Every structure is written in structure tokens, then in C-alpha cells.
Amino acid sequence: MTGTAADGTRNGFSWGHSALEAEFATASDGTLRLVRLGGGPAPGDLEAALPLVELIALGHGSGWSGPRFTGTALGTRLRHRGHRSGTRAGWEWLTVELDDPLTGLTASVELSSPTGLPVLRSRVRLRNDGTEPLVVQSVSSLLLGGLPSPDTLDVHRARNDWLAECRWYAEPLRAAVADINAGAHQHDSRAALTLVGRGSWPTDGHLPMGALTERGGAGRAWVWQVESPAGWRWDLGERAHGTYLALNGPTDAEHQWRVRLGPREEFTTVPGVLAWGSGLDAALGALTSYRRAVRRPHPDHTTLPVVFNDYMNTLMGDPTTEKLLPLIDAAAEAGAEYFCIDSGWYDDTQGWWDSVGEWLPSARRFPDGGIVRVLDRIRERGMVPGLWLEPEVVGVRSPVAAALPPEAFFQRDGVRLAEQGRHQLDLRHPAARAHLDKTVDRIVGDWGVGYLKLDYNIVVSPGTQAPGDLAPGAGLLGHAQAYLEWLSEVLDRHPGLVIENCASGGMRMDGATLAVTQLQSTSDQQDPLRYPPIAAAAPSAVPPEQSAVWAYPQPEFDDDLIAFTLGGALLGRIHLSGHLDRMSQRQLGLVRDAVATYKAIRGDLARAVPFWPLGLPGWTDEWVALGMRVPDGPSYVLVWRRDGEGGTAGRSELHLEVGDLTGGKVHTEILHPSAPGAASAVWDGDALRVSLPRTPGVLLIRLASGA
């Protein structure tokens, strides 16, 4: 793999596989740079590429001032010491060793890629091989220069708010990074488009993702994610007439994050991931396949059981034996395979928010046999019982708050933090872990619960400063990583357990957590008419088999709204709710039909990649569409129509392009609703013609080529 770079620079080498071609070369300042990635040519100017690592440490600042994470003093001093590569378990990997002769700092750039996928994963391991401590204030996870000019690119971001998740929007990159005529100034612009996520809800505000798409020409696209369970940032800017991308975990400036590396001490960044393809759908599809490759294996990812949860628009945190027993029977009759009792099962005081922490069942809510009687009823009806838990919080009135040592909780300046009447456990402390281990082993081991919905409903920012933490952002990242380690240990002890990740819906929808847990809550949205854009865009952040979408039909709904509410979950993980026990047999039959349809296609969803025939949806669009393409199999298209806005507003019929099927013979079949009425879906040779005369309306269509 050693050799000469494409432009003739000495000390170059290449690495990769059939879908990833990476080329490295040494620039005039002596730094090693990634000069080509993918199938495109090397940048015309080697200086457009970036050093492999940029970092800031106290006493070693930036090379120049500004918001960009480039041109750091330490980054320009790191020299290539060697590299090694190999193949392991379906992954190609490369480790590049860099060192700074002045401080003795070693930076190991750890690159990896699933064989055959156009995806690059990068993280940096720092080791202080010097004799003096070094305080690191920021360090890159992945850097890439030499992308096309900002003149030709649109940048895409995804707002992610409570009840309004995964709202992608786009604008020309030039709108944020102005053309200053760099030639006239003999200097690049200092401008950067920067996006930052803060606090213990890492996806509150925006997803830790972004994308660039090229207008005209090849129509290439690049999509990235920062896999941080705490703080993160990324920035884009212009460099040598091209575009650069910098991905980072938490930093001192944005997150109060710093670490002190004494001699022989190490720190490893969160991973940064980049996928690319010919168009946004292709790049997001590659990222979907990568997410499957990197996550913890679990049977749930292929079996996709139907979950009933009693919360949303149903019991709303007020479960009792009397209310649950008829719901359990109705859920079983509808075809559910798991039944999760949501929040409130521990509430014996009618004021549980600031008293939680012991996680013992309420005797008031569950008389005559207690909660075990209800769990047994779930099993008797052929379902796996589940419970809601918010493990990281302890109410200020809880006995646990006094029983655990002060060091087991988040703190600042020696003061235990309180947020909304709750303390936050620090999972780095053995007493905090022991408390949660005892809780989970009782619930799962003794009670036989097979599903845990783990929620998290407070935000702590910037973090905690326990003894040994140099800054609160470092404490927050340390806790968040310890929490994921704890989850992995729980799954090691209970390998059949299924864990749903929730934080007031999608406020923890980050790649690090998705790699450990089996399901991801997409939203707490209670309005079925506002859920479609969330459900349609969720596969941009979560593989469909992990994407939990609520389906909460109600007995007061008409048939169209029941079908609409159920249909929105059929290309994800259907999370059934609603007062099924109050439905007529005809209405319950509609629910059974939808669940049966889901069970018939879920095996395909476990390996499908998403596409968007109308593009990623707008929040108020009248028409919304999501597709799933199965390798060597059919495609599925889910289409919603509601009262809304956008260029398709007021039209009862649309043509949807399904690019890989254009021009071929395609058989269409409406799978949902079972009685579509006047709605129709016909392949006209070039596109899918869909008619939905009434709103709200939904169709799930299967397309099989060659029929």
C-alpha cells in the first residue's frame, strides 16, 4: 500500500476497498493529508486537503483566529511516523501514527470501513508520550478537504425538537460562507457554517448529522454523523477554492470540555462517520447499511416483534390492574407480541416525578397479586412483558437520594445538581451502577420482564465536575459513555432483553446509543396528522427496524383516520397503542389487518434501505412519501396525504419516481389499507401514479419488477 500520491508528492500511500479509495500525501508543511476519498480525482491543489488531525491544547492555540476548526498550531506540527492496515470481521482498517516532537504527543488516527460500503469511520486516540502534562481543549474526529466549491453545493441540516423531530432543511452553502475573493486577499475566508449540540440531550435542537449535495453534473452527495452521546460540533468552510468538513466531539469553547493528559495517559475521541453516493438517497442508504454493521448484534434486529405500549393517547402514565387487563387482552387479539407498561407503575403517592428512584411497584395501583399478576397475564396472552424505566434520575424526595453517596450524583463545585426536582446519577460511580444493576436484575431476572423502555426526561448542561474531572463537559461525556457501557453489560447478562432508547421521544437519537440499544423512540407526538413527516424522515437517522413509530388508533376515529394512524408505522417498528379494548370488532379488525400486513413485510424491512420519492419531507407538506428498497427484492412505498402546504397542495393524484424501476415492467399491490376504496396506485411505465381522493389518506404499496 506504499507508493507515490497522484500528484507526485513523496511519502504518499493509498488504502481502501472496492467502494472506498483513499489516498494520502505529505504537504509542503510536512503534514500528512487525506487527498482523495471515493472514486473522484485528487484535488488539484494539495493544500486544499487538511491535516489528518487538528487539536487545540492550553499553550498551543490556533494558527489563526476564527470559528473554523482548522489551522491549529499542534495540527501543523504532527508528523507521520508510520501506518498499518488490515482486514477484520468484514471491516477494513487503517491506523496512522502521528507525533509532535515538541510535546511528545502521539495521535493515532483510526480509520475503518465496512468492506464494500462507501463509508469512512474515523476516531483519534491521543497519548502523551512526553514528560509534561498536556491539557487538550479540542481534537478532531474526522477532517476532509478538497470537496467541491461552495458555489456548487447545498448543505442539509435536520432540526430535531421535542414533538417535531427529523425536520431536514437545505440552503446553498454560499448563503453561510460568502465568496470574499480569496485571491485578492491571498488568504482563505475565516467564515464557517458551524452546528453544535450541547447537554445531556445530544440531539435536542439538531441531529448530529449533515449533508452536502452537488448541484448539476454528477449530483454527488456526502452525509455525515458525529457519534457522540454528549456534546458535538461540525463545521464547513472554504479552503483553496474547495470545501472542507470538520467533525468533532465536545470542545472547550462550546461544551466546557477539557482533559488533562499526564505522561502515558490516553484519550480517544468519539467517532465521526462520512458516507457518500450519487445522490442524497444513495448516501443515506450507505449510512443505513453502516449503522447495521456497527451496532451490537441482537435477534430483535431481524425478528421485529410488534410492541404495544399503554402510554401514548391511552393510559398516559396512569396504569392500574383494572385498566391494564382489558388492554392486554385486546392487544393480544390485535396481534401484539410485546406489551410494555409505561410510566406510573411505581407511583404510590400520586406525585411520582420528584420521588422516583426505587423502582418498586405501587401497591395502590396493583392490588391482589401486585404487578406480577399483570405481568403473568401478559405472558398468558402470549406476549413478552415490558416496563418503562428512567434509570439515570433519582427524585429529590426519593429515599435513594439519601441512601447513595453524594459522589454517585452529578455535581458542580461540590454541590449536587438538581433539575426539575431530580438528581442525575453518574454512572462512573460504582454505587450508582450497583443501584441500577440491582434494579434491572430484579425487574428482568426476578420478574421475567423482557423489554425495557429506558427514558430520560431532563437536560443537564454543561455536565458534571466530579473529582478528577477537569471540566463539566468532560464529566458529561464520561458519564454518557459509562451509561452505554452499563447498557452493554446489562445485555451481556440478559441477552434476550430488548431495550428501547427514549429521551422525551427523539432527544437521544445519536449513533453511539443506537449502536447499543435495539429500538429508538422517534417522537412523543400525539397528533396523528403531524406524525407523517417524522415517520418519513426518521430512517435518515435510524434504520427502519429500530425506528419506533407510534400507531394509536382510537374508537372515536373514523375508518380513514384509523387506517392513516396505523399506516404511518408500517415501514418502521410499529408501536401500537390506543384504547383497543373499547373498539368495536369491526374497528379491531382494521387493527388486526394492519398488524398482519406489517408481519408479512417485516422480514424485508430488516435489510431494506430507505429512499424518498418526494424528497425529505417538509413539516407542513400535504403529500409525504417514504420508500424502502430491498436488495434483490421488492420495493415498498408509503404515501400519506393530509391537509397541508407545499407544491403538491390540493392535488389528489401524484406521480412518484422510483428511479431503479423506471422504464421497466412493475406490478403494484396495495397492502394497506385492506379496503382502499377510491384510492389507487398504478405503474405507468415510468412512475407510480398514486390517487388519494380524501384526506387524511394513506397507502402502502409493494412494487415488484419484472412482473
Side-chain angles (χ1 to χ4, degrees):
M1 58 179 281
T2 58
T4 303
D7 65 351
T9 307
R10 293 182 298 109
N11 300 322
F13 63 92
S14 59
W15 167 78
H17 51 76
S18 61
L20 182 151
E21 300 172 18
E23 193 166 344
F24 303 83
T26 303
S28 58
D29 64 358
T31 59
L32 187 68
R33 304 186 178 193
L34 175 56
V35 298
R36 185 166 68 90
L37 182 63
D45 183 358
L46 180 60
E47 304 307 312
L50 291 177
L52 284 186
V53 177
E54 297 274 21
L55 72 155
I56 298 175
L58 291 181
H60 309 268
S62 298
W64 59 313
S65 298
R68 305 154 65 113
F69 194 69
T70 60
T72 62
L74 265 169
T76 58
R77 293 207 308 260
L78 293 171
R79 294 297 178 264
H80 181 207
R81 191 169 68 185
H83 54 269
R84 60 189 184 277
S85 64
T87 303
R88 183 169 51 242
W91 286 72
E92 306 290 333
W93 59 268
L94 169 71
T95 300
V96 181
E97 300 285 349
L98 310 171
D99 65 4
D100 171 32
L102 183 62
T103 62
L105 179 71
T106 296
S108 299
V109 184
E110 300 174 349
L111 304 174
S112 59
S113 177
T115 305
L117 286 181
V119 180
L120 178 67
R121 186 178 198 246
S122 175
R123 64 181 186 177
V124 176
R125 180 167 48 87
L126 299 179
R127 176 181 170 87
N128 185 356
D129 290 323
T131 59
E132 299 296 328
L134 189 69
V135 177
V136 179
Q137 298 171 276
S138 58
V139 54
S140 60
S141 293
L142 186 151
L143 295 170
L144 182 66
L147 292 167
S149 165
D151 293 323
T152 67
L153 296 175
D154 291 325
V155 59
H156 304 252
R157 289 163 282 178
R159 293 188 178 94
N160 201 67
D161 299 308
W162 182 52
L163 309 179
E165 290 84 350
C166 300
R167 291 178 294 129
W168 286 89
Y169 62 104
E171 65 176 346
L173 183 55
R174 273 292 181 219
V177 181
D179 183 353
I180 63 166
N181 190 353
H185 300 88
Q186 301 300 303
H187 211 295
D188 283 329
S189 169
R190 297 187 185 214
L193 173 61
T194 301
L195 200 63
V196 176
R198 298 181 177 90
S200 54
W201 274 359
T203 60
D204 181 22
H206 278 85
L207 292 177
M209 296 179 64
L212 288 171
T213 54
E214 193 174 19
R215 294 190 296 274
R220 294 174 294 178
W222 299 263
V223 181
W224 56 88
Q225 66 179 24
V226 184
E227 296 181 349
S228 175
W232 55 270
R233 70 163 270 166
W234 59 256
D235 63 279
L236 293 164
E238 187 169 16
R239 178 182 173 89
H241 308 293
T243 300
Y244 79 84
L245 168 68
L247 306 183
N248 292 69
T251 69
D252 189 10
E254 287 95 355
H255 308 92
Q256 299 187 37
W257 176 93
R258 297 188 305 281
V259 293
R260 184 190 305 274
L261 296 182
R264 296 176 297 281
E265 290 184 336
E266 295 186 355
F267 170 77
T268 302
T269 69
V270 301
V273 179
L274 179 69
W276 58 94
S278 57
L280 190 56
D281 283 0
L284 285 168
L287 194 58
T288 300
S289 298
Y290 158 81
R291 289 167 174 153
R292 289 170 172 151
V294 77
R295 70 191 174 192
R296 178 189 177 99
H298 196 284
D300 184 81
H301 295 319
T302 55
T303 55
L304 281 64
V306 174
V307 178
F308 185 96
N309 181 297
D310 67 25
Y311 184 83
M312 190 59 70
N313 293 350
T314 310
L315 300 188
M316 300 296 290
D318 188 28
T320 65
T321 298
E322 182 181 10
K323 293 177 181 178
L324 283 168
L325 293 182
L327 259 185
I328 291 167
D329 292 344
E333 187 178 350
E337 294 154 305
Y338 281 65
F339 189 103
C340 182
I341 302 171
D342 209 282
S343 59
W345 58 269
Y346 39 78
D347 175 22
D348 226 5
T349 65
Q350 294 183 310
W352 57 265
W353 181 264
D354 60 356
S355 64
V356 295
E358 288 188 291
W359 307 116
L360 297 173
S362 165
R364 176 178 62 86
R365 291 178 175 276
F366 304 103
D368 303 327
I371 198 170
V372 173
R373 175 191 171 197
V374 179
L375 299 176
D376 286 343
R377 178 65 163 266
I378 294 170
R379 279 185 285 266
E380 289 168 5
R381 295 308 311 264
M383 297 179 291
V384 176
L387 286 178
W388 178 98
L389 200 65
E390 196 170 355
E392 293 162 85
V393 302
V394 173
V396 296
R397 295 193 297 112
S398 172
V400 177
L404 294 180
E407 297 79 16
F409 297 92
F410 273 31
Q411 57 187 287
R412 295 279 303 278
D413 297 325
V415 177
R416 185 189 301 191
L417 300 184
E419 177 66 26
Q420 291 182 261
R422 288 152 162 221
H423 301 302
Q424 163 86 45
L425 289 173
D426 188 336
L427 268 292
R428 297 173 297 175
H429 195 280
R433 291 174 86 119
H435 162 66
L436 291 188
D437 282 339
K438 182 180 178 181
T439 298
V440 170
D441 289 347
R442 178 182 71 248
I443 291 172
V444 178
D446 297 345
W447 299 355
V449 167
Y451 185 100
L452 288 178
K453 176 178 179 176
L454 300 186
D455 209 342
Y456 180 65
N457 292 301
I458 63 172
V459 185
V460 180
S461 183
T464 180
Q465 199 162 6
D469 290 333
L470 194 59
L476 177 60
L477 180 61
H479 157 76
Q481 292 175 328
Y483 171 70
L484 296 182
E485 291 170 1
W486 173 73
L487 286 181
S488 293
E489 292 170 1
V490 166
L491 289 166
D492 288 341
R493 294 199 309 276
H494 305 287
L497 177 67
V498 175
I499 294 177
E500 176 190 345
N501 177 51
C502 180
S504 290
M507 300 297 98
R508 258 187 180 172
M509 199 151 36
D510 61 276
T513 308
L514 279 168
V516 178
T517 57
Q518 287 70 63
L519 290 99
Q520 171 64 52
S521 175
T522 56
S523 189
D524 282 348
Q525 176 57 248
Q526 293 176 242
D527 183 350
L529 298 178
R530 283 179 168 82
Y531 216 128
I534 301 172
S540 66
V542 186
E545 66 274 20
Q546 291 179 269
S547 182
V549 178
W550 287 105
Y552 32 61
Q554 302 295 345
E556 64 270 21
F557 288 2
D558 63 25
D559 289 0
D560 283 348
L561 188 53
I562 288 176
F564 186 88
T565 305
L566 291 164
L570 295 181
L571 289 186
R573 282 297 295 274
I574 185 169
H575 260 46
L576 198 59
S577 196
H579 290 286
L580 306 188
D581 54 318
R582 302 177 188 173
M583 284 187 164
S584 69
Q585 280 301 310
R586 182 185 58 78
Q587 290 176 317
L588 195 57
L590 298 177
V591 179
R592 281 196 302 267
D593 286 349
V595 171
T597 295
Y598 179 77
K599 291 179 178 179
I601 69 170
R602 60 184 170 184
D604 283 342
L605 298 182
R607 56 195 184 97
V609 293
F611 64 96
W612 291 268
L614 295 174
L616 287 161
W619 184 244
T620 59
D621 287 355
E622 178 177 0
W623 288 83
V624 175
L626 169 66
M628 289 289 164
R629 186 173 289 114
V630 182
D632 302 318
S635 292
Y636 298 91
V637 175
L638 183 59
V639 184
W640 297 260
R641 185 184 173 211
R642 55 192 183 143
D643 294 331
E645 302 171 3
T648 58
R651 296 167 56 185
S652 63
E653 183 174 297
L654 277 188
H655 279 64
L656 305 179
E657 293 187 2
V658 185
D660 61 322
L661 299 178
T662 300
K665 293 183 178 180
V666 177
H667 173 71
T668 63
E669 180 184 6
I670 295 175
L671 303 180
H672 176 83
S674 55
S680 64
V682 179
W683 185 259
D684 66 8
D686 293 315
L688 180 65
R689 190 169 70 249
V690 175
S691 175
L692 280 168
R694 299 194 304 271
T695 60
V698 67
L699 288 179
L700 174 62
I701 306 135
R702 176 163 50 201
L703 302 119
S705 61

